[in-house]
Amino acid sequence: MATATSLPSNVSGHTAADPAMGPVSRPNMVSVGTIVWLSSELMFFAGLFAIFFTVRSLRPDLWEHNIELLNVPFAAANTLILVISSVWCQLGVLKAEHGQKSRTGSLLNVAGWGMREWYVLTYIFGAVFVSGQVLEYATLVSEGVTISTDSWSSIFYLTTGLHGIHVTGGLIAFLLIIGRTYTTRTYSHAQQTGAVVTSYYWHFVDVVWIALFAAIYLLGA
C-alpha cells in the first residue's frame, strides 16, 4: 500500500513549496556596514555639537564679539552649493541603479548622462565647497582669528575643519568611483554598490553641514 509523503512545514504552517513564502534574500552587507559606520560618525559629530553648545553657554560674550567676523551670506551660498551637489549625486545613483555608467549621447545632452557625468558634477560642486571653506579660513586668519585665539575660534575651526576633512574624503571616494568606470568594460554589481554607498556618505556630510551652519552661523548670530 502506497503512503503519501508530506512536505516539511515551518512553524507558521506553510510548506517549503508554498509560493506565498516568497524568496529569501540577504541584505547587501556593504550597505549595512556603511550605515553602521555612518551611525558611529553621527555620534562623533554629536559630541562636537555638545562641546559647541557647552562652550557657548559658558562664554556667551565670545559669541557676541566673534559672530560679527563671520560672512553669513558667503557661508549660506557655500551651503547651497553643497546641498545642490547632493541632488546631482542622487541623480547619479539613479543612473547607477539602472546600470548606466556613462552618457549615451553628446555631453550637452544632459538627459543622456550616466552615473559618471553626474558624479563628476557632484565632485566639482564639492570641491567648490571645500575651496570656499579654505577661503573663509584665510580671511579669518588675516583678521587675526586662529584656532588658538579663544574658545570660540577653537570650536569653530574644530567643527568646520573636521567636517571639511570628511567632505574631502568623500571627494576622494568619488574619484575612485569615477576612475573605476574607465578601468572596466562592464558595469558590475560591485561598482553599482560602491556608487550607492558613496552617496550615503555624501548625503550624510551634507546633512551634518546643514546642522553646523544653522548652529554656528544662524543660532550664533
Side-chain angles (χ1 to χ4, degrees):
M1 181 176 63
T3 58
T5 59
S6 61
L7 292 172
S9 60
N10 57 19
V11 293
S12 63
H14 292 288
T15 63
D18 192 342
M21 292 294 293
V24 178
S25 60
R26 292 178 55 190
N28 188 304
M29 298 310 296
V30 177
S31 298
V32 173
T34 302
I35 293 174
V36 172
W37 173 61
L38 290 179
S39 299
S40 67
E41 288 292 291
L42 181 61
M43 298 304 296
F44 170 77
F45 278 103
L48 292 179
F49 276 105
I51 296 173
F52 174 86
F53 286 109
T54 299
V55 175
R56 186 175 187 272
S57 63
L58 295 175
R59 294 296 307 273
D61 55 307
L62 293 178
W63 260 254
E64 295 175 1
H65 171 71
N66 291 306
I67 196 65
E68 299 177 355
L69 300 174
L70 296 179
N71 190 339
V72 178
F74 177 83
N78 211 28
T79 300
L80 182 61
I81 290 173
L82 187 63
V83 171
I84 293 176
S85 75
S86 270
V87 177
W88 308 146
C89 179
Q90 192 57 36
L91 290 175
V93 169
L94 294 177
K95 294 297 183 178
E97 291 177 341
H98 286 83
Q100 184 182 349
K101 71 174 183 179
S102 59
R103 59 187 171 91
T104 56
S106 67
L107 185 61
L108 298 179
N109 180 21
V110 179
W113 280 11
M115 182 274 294
R116 179 194 298 164
E117 287 72 32
W118 287 115
Y119 270 25
V120 168
L121 189 60
T122 304
Y123 178 89
I124 293 173
F125 272 61
V128 171
F129 171 81
V130 174
S131 300
Q133 273 198 305
V134 172
L135 179 60
E136 185 177 25
Y137 290 166
T139 302
L140 290 173
V141 171
S142 67
E143 295 176 353
V145 181
T146 65
I147 192 171
S148 60
T149 300
D150 52 37
S151 299
W152 178 89
S153 64
S154 296
I155 194 62
F156 172 80
Y157 283 110
L158 182 65
T159 54
T160 59
L162 287 173
H163 177 268
I165 293 174
H166 279 74
V167 174
T168 303
L171 294 178
I172 295 174
F174 278 123
L175 287 180
L176 294 176
I177 295 298
I178 295 169
R180 288 181 66 185
T181 63
Y182 289 98
T183 58
T184 55
R185 291 185 177 181
T186 59
Y187 192 62
S188 65
H189 177 70
Q191 288 178 296
Q192 176 182 334
T193 301
V196 172
V197 297
T198 300
S199 74
Y200 293 167
Y201 178 83
W202 194 252
H203 296 322
F204 170 78
V205 297
D206 192 345
V207 172
V208 169
W209 177 254
I210 292 175
L212 283 175
F213 173 75
I216 297 174
Y217 294 88
L218 300 182
L219 296 180

